[in-house]
């Protein structure tokens, strides 16, 4: 009997064959915490005199959620984190270096490894064919100190995606569509395994968008095989020797197989205040937008900024709409700069901020006003998420979001990309059904 | 152990953003202060009304969203003795057990806001003293019972020096 990708990676670490449902204690290869979760984790370790790291060189503490710090309380949390790193030898990724999930992917994570992170979107690492999952501060604290953690081996949903996206439709639309289809708790405790030729043809960045949002369906991980593209990525980052080809077996036991035809997807938008409240673009038009946010661990990479620049080229920003751009990492920022994208964005009227989480979690840099609408490339639109429970967040792809910066309202980005609106095409829609 | 208290009822999809809003991010190292805002965006009066021993009762997918352990921690700090829901998001569930806050899965449709409950953790039974309904809750996975019985993960590790889950 074959094994899923999750069973393979966890089994390798457990030193035995494992199957879904088993509880195992496994060594962890990489650990991360961020400035919102690390102080609590550190206090927990201090409580039991266990302020140490089993593997400090691959334990990384990120100052990214409140970076640069907007308040003295948070600056003091940063001091706590820096002191812990000094004491234990753990790595610090300081203000300006970028979002934890992006940086860990660029610089640390390899196929076949286990990454635990005190941040729910740690599942982004699944695009590296690594078992990556988010946990709370205490779980990760103990993982860091002892070098191991416990898991229940998850059942797997195989998400088989075939066909080519229409121009103007992206992996973000696919994942929003999927979440709309299965619901925000449709995959709770499960591992998603994305396969099919659409995934094979997708860039690493686009795959990261899929894995990143696995948690929005409740999943524990969102895994994708490693292949030529993974190898090229590792080559670029100087660790091609860490490449390993890994994929789930065809004859593994999947709890469910969900098949999606990518060619039939339309740009998709999540309406306030839940991620699974999705609608296709034709049902999302003419919503006035006060703020556009391009960035985050979901869509703050070079290809996202590139798409934004395609959309704004030769066009003017709507004077009533603000536009905030936050590159996901220092490396993304530098690449966008050398390609001239940053200049183009600033000339267009965007406020470009230091790499990090930006306004995503409502701590600083772009908190919404009462009654305002924001369209964002992030992964969550819960009430209060961007700092104000009386504001409204729409989630979309970079193309859909940035098109709204031109139009001042939600529009079909395909009009901007293909010039002409594709007509007569039947598009799928997804609405959530509660069981 | 028998828990007793009054019900505060919430709906489906109570996210960690509703429980521990990001705008109080700066209070993450001052949890007693943060607890004064617990669940504020779901019910502005909850924090001022909740009393020691009371229950938070939700619907489906309670605690979805971020990994912030501050969410179950401030629910516990506010005096809540257990959270009951039809289902929990994975990270919240594990966090709740880690911080020693029982998270119980049952059919919460039968419980109304304001009801008095009596919960027997060993027997796996919930008695609604207001309407007389008796509910069973699904037992926790064995690994989690060990952790909860030790008072949470930190106490578990302090006691055994390692994971001791079977
Ligand atoms: S960008 Fe947003 S979702 Fe991603 S880690 Fe930062 S706060 Fe979380």
């Amino acid at each position: 009997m074959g094994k899923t990708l999750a069973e393979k990676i966890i089994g390798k670490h457990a030193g035995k064959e494992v199957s879904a449902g088993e509880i195992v204690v496994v060594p962890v290869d990489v650990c991360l915490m961020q400035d919102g979760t690390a102080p609590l984790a550190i206090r927990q370790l201090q409580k039991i005199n266990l302020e140490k790291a089993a593997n400090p060189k691959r334990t990384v503490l990120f100052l990214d959620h409140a970076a640069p710090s907007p308040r003295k309380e948070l600056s003091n949390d940063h001091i706590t984190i820096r002191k812990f790193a000094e004491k234990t030898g753990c790595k610090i990724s300081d203000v300006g270096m970028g979002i934890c999930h992006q940086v860990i992917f660029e610089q640390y994570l390899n196929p076949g490894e286990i990454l635990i992170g005190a941040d729910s979107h740690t599942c982004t690492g699944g695009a590296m064919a690594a078992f990556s999952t988010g946990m709370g501060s205490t779980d990760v604290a103990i993982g860091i100190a002892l070098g191991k953690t416990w898991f229940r081996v998850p059942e797997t949903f195989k998400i088989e995606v075939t066909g080519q996206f229409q121009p103007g439709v992206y992996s973000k639309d696919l994942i929003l569509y999927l979440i709309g289809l299965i619901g925000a708790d449709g995959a709770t405790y499960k591992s998603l395994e994305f396969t099919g030729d659409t995934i094979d043809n997708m860039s690493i960045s686009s795959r990261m968008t899929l894995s990143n949002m696995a948690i929005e369906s409740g999943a524990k991980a969102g895994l994708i095989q490693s292949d030529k593209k993974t190898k090229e990525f590792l080559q670029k980052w100087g660790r091609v020797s860490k490449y390993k080809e890994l994929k789930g077996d065809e004859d593994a036991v999947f709890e469910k197989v969900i098949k999606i035809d990518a060619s039939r997807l339309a740009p998709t938008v999540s309406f306030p205040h839940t991620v699974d409240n999705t609608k296709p673009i034709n049902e999302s038009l003419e919503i006035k937008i006060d703020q556009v946010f391009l960035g985050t661990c979901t869509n703050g990479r070079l290809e996202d900024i590139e798409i934004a620049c395609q959309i704004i080229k030769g066009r003017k920003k709507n004077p009533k709409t603000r536009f905030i751009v936050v590159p996901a990492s220092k490396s993304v920022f530098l690449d966008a700069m050398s390609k001239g994208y940053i200049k183009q964005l600033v000339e267009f009227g965007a406020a470009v901020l230091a790499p990090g989480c930006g306004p995503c979690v409502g701590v600083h840099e772009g908190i919404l006003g009462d009654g305002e609408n924001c369209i964002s490339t992030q992964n969550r639109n819960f009430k209060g998420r961007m700092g104000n429970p009386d504001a409204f967040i729409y989630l979309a792809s970079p193309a859909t979001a940035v098109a709204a910066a031109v139009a001042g309202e939600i529009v079909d980005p395909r009009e901007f990309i293909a010039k002409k609106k594709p007509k007569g095409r039947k598009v799928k829609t997804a609405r959530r059904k509660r069981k | 152990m028998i828990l007793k208290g009054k019900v505060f009822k919430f709906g489906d999809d109570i996210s960690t953003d509703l429980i521990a809003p990001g705008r109080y991010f700066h209070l993450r190292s001052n949890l007693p202060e943060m607890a004064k805002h617990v669940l504020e965006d779901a019910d502005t009066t909850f924090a001022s009304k909740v009393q020691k021993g009371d229950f938070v009762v939700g619907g489906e997918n309670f605690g979805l969203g971020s990994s912030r352990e501050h969410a179950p921690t401030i629910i516990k700090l506010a005096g809540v003795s257990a959270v009951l829901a039809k289902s929990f998001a994975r990270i919240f569930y594990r966090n709740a057990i880690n911080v020693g806050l029982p998270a119980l899965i049952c059919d919460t449709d039968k419980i109304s806001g304001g009801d008095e409950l009596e919960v027997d953790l060993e027997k796996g039974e919930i008695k609604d003293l207001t309407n007389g309904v008796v509910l069973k809750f699904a037992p926790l996975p064995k690994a989690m019972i060990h952790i909860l019985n030790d008072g949470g993960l930190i106490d578990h590790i302090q006691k055994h020096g390692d994971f001791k889950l079977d």
Side-chain angles (χ1 to χ4, degrees), chain B residues 155-166:
Chain B
D155 296 301
H156 176 84
I157 296 295
Q158 188 170 33
K159 186 166 160 195
H160 306 287
D162 202 343
F163 293 105
K164 194 137 185 5
L165 304 175
D166 32 49

Side-chain angles (χ1 to χ4, degrees), chain A residues 180-388:
Chain A
L181 188 72
I182 65 177
D185 57 356
T188 301
Y189 302 110
K190 313 299 177 193
S191 167
L192 305 181
E193 200 171 307
F194 296 95
T195 65
D197 60 70
T198 315
I199 311 295
D200 298 344
N201 294 329
M202 221 178 245
S203 68
I204 294 290
S205 279
S206 295
R207 292 178 188 178
M208 288 170 79
T209 305
L210 299 180
S211 296
N212 175 269
M213 290 195 70
I215 176 77
E216 308 312 332
S217 65
K220 186 165 180 166
L223 303 180
I224 299 177
Q225 64 177 57
S226 53
D227 59 15
K228 212 176 90 218
K229 292 196 170 149
T230 325
K231 196 171 178 184
E232 282 163 13
F233 182 92
L234 290 168
Q235 176 102 46
K236 179 184 164 203
W237 283 92
R239 55 181 201 283
V240 72
S241 63
K242 303 286 185 197
Y243 177 71
K244 227 187 265 153
E245 196 171 295
L246 262 180
K247 61 190 223 179
D249 295 327
E250 290 288 331
D251 61 341
V253 180
F254 296 104
E255 186 173 313
K256 216 185 241 180
V257 178
I258 297 173
K259 296 190 180 186
I260 297 175
D261 177 356
S263 70
R264 295 187 56 198
L265 297 179
T268 301
V269 177
S270 282
F271 275 54
H273 295 288
T274 55
V275 184
D276 57 5
N277 188 15
T278 56
K279 294 185 189 180
I281 192 76
N282 60 341
E283 293 174 31
S284 315
L285 304 174
E286 293 176 13
I287 292 163
K288 177 182 139 296
I289 294 297
D290 301 290
Q291 178 167 303
V292 174
F293 172 33
L294 172 71
T296 79
C297 52
T298 319
N299 282 116
R301 286 174 279 277
L302 190 68
E303 73 173 25
D304 304 312
I305 294 173
E306 205 159 54
I307 292 164
C309 286
Q310 268 176 45
I311 302 265
I312 64 175
K313 194 166 180 220
R315 297 191 169 97
K316 282 209 158 51
K317 188 179 77 63
N318 189 291
K320 290 196 171 153
T321 306
R322 314 182 285 277
F323 183 24
I324 299 174
V325 178
V326 187
S329 71
K330 174 183 162 188
S331 153
V332 169
F333 200 5
L334 286 171
D335 286 348
M337 226 182 266
S338 68
K339 289 191 175 268
Y341 297 151
I342 298 297
K343 182 166 184 278
Q344 199 187 333
L345 287 162
V346 173
E347 279 172 356
F348 175 74
V352 181
L353 308 178
C357 298
C360 180
V361 69
V363 179
H364 62 357
E365 299 182 335
I367 290 167
L368 299 172
D370 293 346
E372 284 193 324
N373 290 335
C374 176
I375 190 163
S376 169
T377 64
Q378 70 195 71
N379 43 39
R380 282 194 180 135
N381 58 351
F382 302 144
K383 193 175 167 194
R385 176 76 185 176
M386 294 178 84
N388 186 344

Side-chain angles (χ1 to χ4, degrees), chain A residues 23 25 36-37 39-40 43-44 48 50 65-66 71 73-74 77 118-120 133-139 142 146 148-151 184-185 188-189 215 219-220 274 361-363 380 382-385 387 389 432 434-435, chain B residues 12-13 15-18 21-31 41-42 60-61 64-70 73 87-91 93-95 98-99 105 141 143-144 147 153-155 157-158 161-163 165:
Chain A
I23 303 260
V25 175
T37 55
L40 178 55
R43 288 197 298 273
Q44 293 287 57
I48 52 171
L50 203 65
H65 281 58
R71 303 183 67 121
E73 294 90 339
L74 293 164
D77 281 347
D119 188 285
S120 60
T133 194
M135 294 174 149
S137 293
T138 304
D139 265 318
I142 296 300
L146 302 185
K148 53 186 167 182
T149 192
W150 72 273
F151 286 130
D185 57 356
T188 301
Y189 302 110
I215 176 77
K220 186 165 180 166
T274 55
V361 69
V363 179
R380 282 194 180 135
F382 302 144
K383 193 175 167 194
R385 176 76 185 176
R432 172 183 201 186
R434 276 269 188 223
K435 35 185 197 288
Chain B
D12 291 337
D13 296 323
S15 72
T16 52
D17 282 296
L18 293 176
R23 63 179 180 282
Y24 300 121
F25 206 87
H26 60 287
L27 296 177
R28 287 185 175 196
S29 289
N30 186 358
L31 292 174
D41 288 347
E60 299 276 8
N61 210 14
L64 78 158
S66 94
S67 70
R68 64 190 77 152
E69 193 174 296
H70 315 74
T73 306
S87 63
F88 287 94
R90 180 186 65 84
I91 306 178
Y93 190 66
R94 193 163 163 153
N95 282 345
N98 282 346
V99 304
I105 299 170
M144 288 186 153
I147 293 169
L153 184 60
I154 284 295
D155 296 301
I157 296 295
Q158 188 170 33
D162 202 343
F163 293 105
L165 304 175

